[in-house]
Amino acid sequence: MPATIFITGASSGFGAATARRFGQAGWNLVLAGRRQPRLEALAAELAAHCAVHTLVLDVRDRAAVEAAVAALPEPFAAVEVLVNNAGLALGTDPAPSCSLDDWDTMIDTNIKGLVYCTRLLLPGLIARGRGTIVNLGSVAGRWPYPGSHVYGASKAFVKQFSLNLRCDLLGTGVRVTDLEPGLCESEFSLVRFSGDQTRYDALYQGAHPIQPEDIAETIWYIANLPPHLNINTLELMPVTQAWNNFAIHRDA
């Protein structure tokens, strides 16, 4: 019987690329996302390779996540890999002028949505004595930069939550990885820039950024390691990205 992977934020970017990577290898797919037409198109694309169950789901809605997990049909109920990919960054303004609504959305999605999905799928993973949770963190959770404020803080939560889970899951056979990408080219930045295509294009021009397929391949590697191995954290950057000097403000 094929293994099953549950992917949040599956309608675009990392999520869609991960669905293609695992689906083309014959895994059963549970694809959760908010955009039904995109989920249906992806399911139709992969139907010749695997079984697909789509969930129109906002991970911020705890009751909806509870209902979706409880109602997973066979053969999709035996989830072996959970990819907590749903997340976003909104705005680049400094903290004093940013939107509190944007902060709420990032906290509710990047933190609460991730913990809802994790907590509700954990009992099944533990009962089967094996499985892998891949949480999409970010280099922003480790390295600060202007305008990152709540986004970076939410990814720092993902990092520490992943490590703490490892402690609680010791002896269960369930693995947890915090995957921390750097500069990636996906709809993520278009959302952050409120749809400004010019800013999006300028960000990636000549930078050879990470592609969604690179992240999908990395998740495939993590999930298919021998069961006695766990990658705790994995930070990825394009070769063109590195760190800069500390900022110093000087009085006139």
Side-chain angles (χ1 to χ4, degrees):
M1 181 176 176
T4 298
I5 182 171
F6 189 116
I7 306 168
T8 68
S11 59
S12 65
F14 300 164
T18 302
R20 291 187 176 99
R21 180 64 181 90
F22 281 78
Q24 289 167 1
W27 283 54
N28 294 332
L29 305 179
V30 179
L31 305 181
R34 292 182 299 165
R35 292 172 287 190
Q36 184 173 2
R38 289 196 179 193
L39 290 176
E40 291 177 349
L42 185 57
E45 173 190 334
L46 296 172
H49 304 283
C50 63
V52 183
H53 178 64
T54 59
L55 292 171
V56 179
L57 181 66
D58 186 339
V59 296
R60 298 175 295 177
D61 186 337
R62 175 176 165 180
V65 176
E66 289 177 329
V69 171
L72 285 174
E74 294 294 341
F76 302 99
V79 174
E80 291 191 23
V81 176
L82 166 62
V83 178
N84 279 312
N85 169 67
L88 74 171
L90 295 173
T92 57
D93 291 340
S97 57
C98 68
S99 164
L100 276 174
D101 289 339
D102 287 349
W103 279 13
D104 277 342
T105 299
M106 286 187 281
I107 291 168
D108 288 346
T109 307
N110 300 357
I111 296 177
K112 294 168 72 174
L114 182 145
V115 301
Y116 294 160
C117 293
T118 301
R119 174 61 183 84
L120 292 165
L121 286 165
L122 267 178
L125 290 166
I126 293 170
R128 285 181 286 280
R130 66 183 186 278
T132 305
I133 299 169
V134 180
N135 293 326
L136 263 296
S138 169
V139 296
R142 185 186 299 263
W143 309 108
Y145 62 87
S148 181
H149 38 73
V150 164
Y151 173 69
S154 73
K155 293 303 183 178
F157 174 91
V158 172
K159 174 184 176 63
Q160 195 61 36
F161 179 64
S162 300
L163 296 176
N164 290 344
L165 273 179
R166 287 275 293 120
C167 297
D168 287 350
L169 296 175
L170 185 65
T172 66
V174 179
R175 310 184 291 191
V176 185
T177 297
D178 174 38
L179 178 56
E180 303 175 347
L183 183 67
C184 297
E185 185 175 10
S186 73
E187 285 186 23
F188 171 91
S189 292
L190 202 58
V191 170
R192 189 171 204 178
F193 297 151
S194 301
D196 188 331
Q197 188 68 46
T198 300
R199 289 183 69 187
Y200 176 95
D201 293 341
L203 176 64
Y204 298 117
Q205 184 176 6
H208 306 289
I210 296 170
Q211 297 297 312
E213 292 75 17
D214 300 324
I215 298 301
E217 194 63 37
T218 304
I219 294 171
W220 173 263
Y221 167 72
I222 292 168
N224 287 283
L225 282 169
H228 67 286
L229 297 177
N230 188 95
I231 294 179
N232 299 324
T233 59
L234 180 56
E235 181 181 281
L236 298 173
M237 286 184 179
V239 175
T240 57
Q241 185 179 29
W243 307 272
N244 210 334
N245 296 327
F246 285 109
I248 299 174
H249 173 77
R250 303 182 189 278
D251 292 336

